Amino acid sequence: MTFPLFITLFIIFILTATVVILTIYQRNKIPAMTGMMIAMSLGMIVGLTVGLIFGILLSDNLYDSTILGIITGVAAGFLAGLPISLLAVLDGTLSGIMGGMMGAMLGQMIASEFQDSLIKMMVMVFISVILILFQLIRQEFLNKNKNQPFIVLCLFAFVLFIIVYNQLGPIIPISDEHFYRPLN
């Protein structure tokens, strides 16, 4: 496992755990529909992103990459929905199943020269969804006038993260054997 891949998986784990912990901590203030959205969004984006990574890493084994993507997405959706309601658990679980399957299939189908950039794009989408979920959780228990500094801070942190993250180097090293070579 390369260092950038380790950092990517660590970021996914930390941000997913943060959303789950915030949901547990604020469960009495979060309405059922908001909780369902949190569980569904988290299950889908975690399943999609991690399924994509496993699909690329286990490019010869669609079954294992699909199962690992589904398990990860289901765990995120289940844990985010558990403090809210059974309906939120079901929503998060089913979204995790769908995201894990789609991510693994995409990881299997993508050409090797595009794998690294696709992972980076999906991590950016993941971070964007997580920031939206943070704002969604904050909206439920804060005065709307206090949101402006948080949004500006999140946008600044996101731009800074993009710059630093892209400097880490390739997430999945590309070997010469992956490129298509025409027969002579």
Side-chain angles (χ1 to χ4, degrees), residues 27-95:
R27 69 181 169 271
N28 295 330
K29 299 175 186 173
I30 296 176
M33 189 56 112
T34 304
M36 287 171 49
M37 253 340 268
I38 292 168
M40 181 180 68
S41 301
L42 191 65
M44 177 67 77
I45 197 65
V46 169
L48 190 60
T49 307
V50 174
L52 172 71
I53 292 170
F54 283 134
I56 290 171
L57 289 177
L58 305 172
S59 61
D60 297 334
N61 196 338
L62 179 61
Y63 176 78
D64 287 346
S65 61
T66 303
I67 294 300
L68 290 171
I70 287 174
I71 288 172
T72 309
V74 165
F78 179 83
L79 292 174
L82 196 60
I84 305 299
S85 68
L86 186 60
L87 196 55
V89 167
L90 185 62
D91 220 8
T93 301
L94 293 175
S95 295

Side-chain angles (χ1 to χ4, degrees), residues 126-178:
F126 173 82
I127 301 275
S128 300
V129 170
I130 294 297
L131 290 176
I132 292 169
L133 290 179
F134 284 156
Q135 181 63 24
L136 188 63
I137 293 169
R138 286 186 84 241
Q139 268 183 336
E140 297 303 328
F141 63 93
L142 285 181
N143 188 352
K144 302 236 187 278
N145 296 334
K146 296 180 181 178
N147 285 338
Q148 192 65 25
F150 179 74
I151 293 171
V152 171
L153 180 66
C154 284
L155 288 175
F156 176 73
F158 184 65
V159 169
L160 185 64
F161 172 77
I162 290 172
I163 292 168
V164 171
Y165 186 66
N166 282 321
Q167 299 303 315
L168 288 176
I171 297 171
I172 306 291
I174 299 174
S175 63
D176 289 336
E177 64 191 36
H178 284 95

Side-chain angles (χ1 to χ4, degrees), residues 9-24:
L9 293 174
F10 182 72
I11 288 168
I12 291 170
F13 175 76
I14 291 297
L15 290 177
T16 302
T18 304
V19 170
V20 169
I21 289 168
L22 280 174
T23 305
I24 291 169

